[in-house]
Amino acid sequence: MTVKVNLQTTCMDQGTQGSDEGSKVLDIELSLSKDCAPPSHLDEFPEGGLVAWSTAFGSFLILFCGWGYTTSFGVYEDFYTQHYLTNESSYAISSIGSFNAFLGTAVSLIAGLLYDRGYFYHLVITGSLLQSVSLFMLSFAKPDQYYQVFLTQGLGSGIALGLLYIPSLAVVSHYFKRKRTLVMTFVILGSSLGAIIHPIMLNNILNGRLGFANGVRASAGMVSALLLIACLCMRTRLDPPTIPVNYITAAKKCLRDVPFLFALAGAFLMQIGFYYPLFFLQLDSIQHGVSVKFSFYSLVILNVSSCTGRAASGYIAGFIGVPNMTIIAAISSGLIILGTIGLGSLSSVVILGVLYGASSGVYNAMLAPLMATLAPSPSELGGWMGIFFFVGGLGSLIGTPIAGALLTSDYIWWKPALFAGVTSLAGAVMYIFMGIKIRRNKF
């Protein structure tokens, strides 16, 4: 910044013996460094206001229609297995949901890069349109036409989820800093609420008078309307960084950040087992003789508890810290997944659903704040989140298909439960190492 100062001096003209006074104006340019410049109002986070909360609400709706729908795949898993894709194995059917979840995190690598370059609105609008089109196209899939279901629900909806996920979370950091963890927790509650509403709706319409085609169209119509509202609500506040994040540079930086490396390993291992209860709990309870009507609500029980866990996690993390909260949730989730080996009655479905819902809800709620904690600066948050969720997505890609293969057509339930539980606990160990390293770095 340059400031021009006019300095007027009065001097005696020696040639006129003091009779003439002349005025001489000296122009002095003072260059002030940026460090001396007054702070911009953009450096101050509003921590609230109409635009801030409407943006947070829009992000909430995005996750309601995105991850809320993906984590409801257990309904489709049961319906496809028993009615619609009866010629396919559990491995093939579960691959649809796992590929959807994988793309939801893998495409985040690209979405984070584009977000850092200022393409927020392009990502949100494109992702919303693709999610809407994919679900409507799913309604035209014919029975036992596996590739039609895979292309629409696995591929199309998965790419849409990936385009929407990072931008909807990262934009919250434009408005909140002190309240960021709490607001991100509220936003992520959208996926929990979606995972409650969507299973109730889908179980009733897919198995009711509407049937598959009209039922999926009704669901797609609701999702499309909510995504339109979300696009109208969300606004950015900060300009993109002058030098966008370079993923090669960011990856090299990650390799030198030991806590982040442990977090990556923890996310990969944890995601291998994470979706097992979400995809198989409803089918598991039906196969163990629990009434079909009650089994339809097993995922609802799990996700109601997940919603409660996510809501409480933001407050508790303020006291014990985000890394510690992540560790506790990861350990609890792994132990409860192992506990599904003992599922065999209605009461066990309720207990395991409530416990896993709470622990997995806390774990999911902590991932975005954990990245905000580990990332060096907000300008790099999109890149670091993209790398983190991509690696975690690799775990979800292989986890449920392996569980489906271990299950076999004979429904040997202890094998996939043991596999998912052990890998999740291995992920929890990695998070413990992350927490130890963070603590050492502080001292």
Side-chain angles (χ1 to χ4, degrees):
M1 181 176 68
T2 301
V3 179
K4 181 175 285 187
V5 179
N6 292 328
L7 179 62
Q8 183 169 325
T9 61
T10 302
C11 59
M12 298 294 295
D13 189 340
Q14 294 178 354
T16 58
Q17 303 288 328
S19 61
D20 294 328
E21 288 187 352
S23 295
K24 188 175 182 180
V25 177
L26 302 177
D27 293 332
I28 302 175
E29 290 187 355
L30 301 178
S31 295
L32 301 181
S33 68
K34 292 181 180 179
D35 292 337
C36 298
S40 169
H41 69 282
L42 293 178
D43 295 332
E44 300 175 0
F45 293 84
E47 302 291 347
L50 179 61
V51 178
W53 286 112
S54 66
T55 298
F57 178 67
S59 299
F60 174 93
L61 293 179
I62 290 286
L63 293 188
F64 179 95
C65 300
W67 282 109
Y69 209 93
T70 294
T71 52
S72 302
F73 183 77
V75 176
Y76 283 104
E77 177 88 30
D78 177 36
F79 186 80
Y80 291 155
T81 299
Q82 300 195 67
H83 305 292
Y84 216 69
L85 298 175
T86 54
N87 295 329
E88 303 297 332
S89 64
S90 295
Y91 170 85
I93 293 174
S94 60
S95 294
I96 299 171
S98 65
F99 194 66
N100 180 288
F102 164 70
L103 289 178
T105 51
V107 177
S108 296
L109 195 66
I110 301 172
L113 182 67
L114 294 174
Y115 170 82
D116 287 336
R117 281 165 168 75
Y119 291 98
F120 171 80
Y121 296 108
H122 304 76
L123 290 167
V124 169
I125 294 172
T126 302
S128 297
L129 287 173
L130 183 57
Q131 175 75 336
S132 178
V133 170
S134 297
L135 292 181
F136 275 112
M137 292 303 295
L138 175 63
S139 69
F140 293 101
K142 303 300 181 183
D144 292 317
Q145 297 298 311
Y146 178 81
Y147 75 96
Q148 295 179 355
V149 177
F150 186 87
L151 289 176
T152 54
Q153 190 170 20
L155 181 63
S157 182
I159 293 174
L161 178 61
L163 294 176
L164 292 168
Y165 185 35
I166 293 295
S168 63
L169 282 178
V171 73
V172 174
S173 64
H174 283 210
Y175 296 93
F176 300 94
K177 184 175 182 180
R178 181 172 49 84
K179 300 179 182 178
R180 186 175 297 164
T181 299
L182 185 61
V183 175
M184 280 188 172
T185 302
F186 160 75
V187 169
I188 295 172
L189 277 175
S191 61
S192 286
L193 183 61
I196 295 169
I197 302 300
H198 293 308
I200 295 174
M201 181 178 181
L202 290 170
N203 268 317
N204 283 281
I205 60 181
L206 295 182
N207 298 283
R209 290 181 299 173
L210 286 179
F212 181 81
N214 290 327
V216 174
R217 286 173 198 144
S219 177
M222 180 186 75
V223 168
S224 300
L226 293 177
L227 288 175
L228 175 60
I229 295 172
C231 290
L232 295 174
C233 285
M234 292 192 293
R235 293 289 182 272
T236 59
R237 186 181 72 94
L238 303 176
D239 294 328
T242 306
I243 303 176
V245 174
N246 183 301
Y247 273 112
I248 296 177
T249 303
K252 290 179 180 178
K253 197 170 185 178
C254 291
L255 292 176
R256 295 191 296 269
D257 192 294
V258 177
F260 188 78
L261 285 177
F262 281 127
L264 284 181
F268 173 76
L269 293 169
M270 188 72 193
Q271 290 298 116
I272 290 177
F274 183 82
Y275 285 100
Y276 171 71
L278 292 167
F279 284 11
F280 288 97
L281 181 62
Q282 181 170 316
L283 181 62
D284 193 355
S285 66
I286 291 175
Q287 292 296 322
H288 278 93
V290 179
S291 70
V292 174
K293 187 174 182 179
F294 180 83
S295 296
F296 283 171
Y297 290 92
S298 58
L299 289 178
V300 176
I301 293 171
L302 187 154
N303 289 310
V304 168
S305 180
S306 175
C307 190
T308 304
R310 295 186 191 207
S313 63
Y315 294 97
I316 301 174
F319 294 98
I320 68 174
V322 172
N324 292 332
M325 199 69 183
T326 305
I327 293 168
I328 294 171
I331 294 172
S332 301
S333 297
L335 291 174
I336 297 165
I337 292 173
L338 281 177
T340 59
I341 295 174
L343 188 149
S345 63
L346 186 149
S347 59
S348 64
V349 172
V350 173
I351 293 171
L352 290 169
V354 170
L355 292 178
Y356 187 73
S359 62
S360 63
V362 173
Y363 174 77
N364 252 341
M366 288 297 102
L367 294 183
L370 181 65
M371 287 301 96
T373 302
L374 294 177
S377 67
S379 64
E380 297 184 58
L381 182 58
W384 283 55
M385 287 177 74
I387 293 171
F388 178 80
F389 288 123
F390 173 78
V391 173
L394 292 175
S396 63
L397 176 64
I398 66 175
T400 49
I402 293 175
L406 292 172
L407 180 62
T408 72
S409 58
D410 296 325
Y411 297 110
I412 306 174
W413 289 102
W414 70 266
K415 290 184 178 180
L418 180 64
F419 166 75
V422 169
T423 52
S424 295
L425 285 174
V429 172
M430 294 297 104
Y431 281 122
I432 292 173
F433 290 152
M434 174 202 71
I436 293 172
K437 188 61 180 177
I438 290 174
R439 194 171 295 110
R440 286 181 178 177
N441 289 345
K442 289 182 178 178
F443 299 100

